[in-house]
Amino acid sequence: MSLTLTNGAMRRPATGLILLTMSLGVLIAQIDTSVVNLAAKPIGAEFSASVTALQWIVDVYNLVYASLLLSAGTLADLYGRRLIFTLGIALFTLGTLVCGLAPDVATLVVGRGLAGLGAALEVPASLAILTIAYPDTKERTRALGIWASCYGIAMVVGPITGGALVDATGWRSIFLLILPFCAFTLLLTMTSVPESSSPQGRRLDLPGQAIAILALGSFSLAAIQGPQWGWASTQSVAAFSFSIVMGVLFFRRQAGAAGALIPLSILRHRVFAACLAVAAAMTFGAYAMLFLTPLYFQAARGAPALYAALALLPMSLSFIVASQLSGVIANKLGPRVPMTAGMTLMGFGLLMLALIALNDSIAMIETALLVIGCGLGLNAGPMNAVAVANVPAMRSGTASGLVNTARMLGATLGVAVLGAVFAMHVAEGAGTEGLAPAYLGGGIGELIGAVVAFAFIRRDSLRQHAE
């Protein structure tokens, strides 16, 4: 029996297995990102790696993911969603295997890049597959809610499992353990997921994609290597300048290219553009914090990886609780309230962590993480809902891809810039004192996002559908 379809109805009995398959795809990608932060300290010890090298291990995944996310959706529409999802899982599996067997930091960075490429392909494809698998609006909403909940599950399961594995069997086990789940996901994909595509009117902008990679890559290179090169060095100035030139070229191309990665007309909607800014600000501080805080627990406090994972648990749990309340609050008071409150709470939580040099009590740190998790949960759901509601319906997929791109761009820059601030203090012999300015920068970024949300998101933004 053929499972292939072309924009037609999907066989109903298969939808449960399709949902399981797509949820597994998201889960393994998110668990991978959450556990690597816990392994940074033992990886650094084994390879005598600097903070800069550890930044590359974390950030190359985010960089590749952010750079290719928009093209991945187009590839899925053009060549088949199941094909691109399968290719994504296969590349993710290969990258994870390379990481688990890596003999040095360079190989580990390559493996993380491959895993990021795989995640960039499979996550947008999984969302498109589910949208087609559930034509009924109510059923689709329920399915997408289960799919999205995998992000929260990964925030809880990933760190605890990863921390226990790192302590018990070493950092390589966090990669190797994911492999059976990858294989199972591949098997389910090949046996339970029909093929679908929508090539009409879609074009792949390869030059635009290449320019975007050069712009993001050169900026990350300058930000991460800056402390070693010197901020005023020829290399740093050249890399920053090149990234600016590529950025200008990218937006000029998007203005005139057929099948542009980013239709600039969509950015003229102020509410939607504000959502992109809030998404980037949210992850700018959050991902840098997730990189630096486990390092602090393991290096400064001498804690094992599992302890560091458990220390992050209040943030994960408060995120899950707050995310369940965010929709109720947004429907009752409008999305501006949870978005502004969420970004403000994240900002204050990071500012609390910036006081770590003055007060490093566990109670203070855990309170700060609890506040950050509440803020993250309040903001994330309404932000996505407002973004999709404020573009034409035919652009909803593009809008979702742009929000995810903004999230990953913020994450990439957060780890690069704020990690560089911390690395600069380490290079000067200041050690964990560099955490204070890094957390401070993250907190300021979150508060800027709160100002943007308050200024541009309206009470009725969820009901405003752009024409």
Side-chain angles (χ1 to χ4, degrees), residues 90-172:
L91 287 171
F92 184 90
T93 304
L94 176 61
T96 301
L97 178 62
V98 170
C99 289
L101 302 177
D104 50 45
V105 169
T107 306
L108 190 53
V109 169
V110 170
R112 290 284 290 157
L114 280 173
L117 173 58
L121 292 175
E122 60 107 341
V123 171
S126 69
L127 183 57
I129 289 170
L130 283 179
T131 301
I132 293 174
Y134 290 88
D136 180 77
T137 302
K138 290 185 178 179
E139 290 187 5
R140 184 191 309 133
T141 301
R142 180 188 64 84
L144 292 181
I146 294 172
W147 179 85
S149 69
C150 292
Y151 287 90
I153 294 171
M155 287 182 66
V156 175
V157 174
I160 295 176
T161 305
L165 285 171
V166 169
D167 289 340
T169 58
W171 63 266
R172 296 179 187 275

Side-chain angles (χ1 to χ4, degrees), residues 57-398:
I57 292 170
V58 172
D59 227 5
V60 70
Y61 183 99
N62 298 333
L63 176 61
V64 174
Y65 193 0
S67 299
L68 298 174
L69 201 53
L70 288 175
S71 284
T74 303
L75 285 169
D77 288 341
L78 285 172
Y79 300 111
R81 299 177 180 103
R82 184 181 71 172
L83 173 64
I84 297 303
F85 181 84
T86 303
L87 180 60
I89 294 294
L91 287 171
F92 184 90
T93 304
L94 176 61
T96 301
L97 178 62
V98 170
C99 289
L101 302 177
D104 50 45
V105 169
T107 306
L108 190 53
V109 169
V110 170
R112 290 284 290 157
L114 280 173
L117 173 58
L121 292 175
E122 60 107 341
V123 171
S126 69
L127 183 57
I129 289 170
L130 283 179
T131 301
I132 293 174
Y134 290 88
D136 180 77
T137 302
K138 290 185 178 179
E139 290 187 5
R140 184 191 309 133
T141 301
R142 180 188 64 84
L144 292 181
I146 294 172
W147 179 85
S149 69
C150 292
Y151 287 90
I153 294 171
M155 287 182 66
V156 175
V157 174
I160 295 176
T161 305
L165 285 171
V166 169
D167 289 340
T169 58
W171 63 266
R172 296 179 187 275
S173 60
I174 65 173
F175 296 108
L176 299 177
L177 184 67
I178 296 177
L179 294 176
F181 296 96
C182 294
F184 182 55
T185 304
L186 278 173
L187 177 63
L188 284 176
T189 303
M190 299 307 297
T191 57
S192 305
V193 179
E195 183 60 282
S196 65
S197 63
S198 302
Q200 297 83 3
R202 302 308 303 270
R203 295 180 62 180
L204 189 62
D205 182 14
L206 289 177
Q209 179 63 84
I211 295 170
I213 292 172
L214 290 173
L216 291 174
S218 56
F219 185 90
S220 297
L221 175 67
I224 293 176
Q225 295 294 144
Q228 288 188 354
W229 289 345
W231 296 111
S233 68
T234 302
Q235 300 100 308
S236 294
V237 172
F240 275 124
S241 300
F242 184 75
S243 70
I244 293 172
V245 171
M246 289 297 103
V248 172
L249 286 177
F250 176 76
F251 281 102
R252 288 192 64 178
R253 177 171 179 81
Q254 298 311 291
L261 289 174
I262 302 178
L264 295 187
S265 60
I266 203 173
L267 299 180
R268 297 192 186 104
H269 300 287
R270 298 199 319 172
V271 174
F272 177 73
C275 285
L276 296 186
V278 171
M282 176 182 73
T283 53
F284 178 79
Y287 272 66
M289 182 275 297
L290 289 172
F291 171 64
L292 294 171
T293 304
L295 276 179
Y296 162 75
F297 277 112
Q298 293 172 281
R301 303 184 79 102
L306 180 58
Y307 181 95
L310 292 173
L312 295 174
L313 194 57
M315 184 191 71
S316 303
L317 295 177
S318 62
F319 165 79
I320 293 174
V321 173
S323 64
Q324 299 303 309
L325 298 175
S326 63
V328 177
I329 297 172
N331 288 329
K332 197 166 188 179
L333 302 176
R336 179 165 68 175
V337 172
M339 288 178 66
T340 304
M343 295 299 291
T344 301
L345 286 172
M346 291 185 70
F348 278 121
L350 281 160
L351 293 180
M352 289 174 66
L353 289 178
L355 300 175
I356 205 165
L358 301 176
N359 180 6
D360 65 347
S361 70
I362 290 296
M364 191 277 291
I365 295 172
E366 295 305 310
T367 300
L369 292 172
L370 186 73
V371 170
I372 291 171
C374 285
L376 188 61
L378 284 175
N379 178 63
M383 178 191 70
N384 283 288
V386 170
V388 174
N390 282 271
V391 298
M394 64 179 293
R395 291 292 192 186
S396 59
T398 302

Side-chain angles (χ1 to χ4, degrees), residues 36-48 54 166-167 170-171 295 298 305:
V36 171
N37 293 313
L38 292 167
K41 172 81 166 44
I43 289 172
E46 177 170 335
F47 295 131
S48 299
L54 297 179
V166 169
D167 289 340
W171 63 266
L295 276 179
Q298 293 172 281

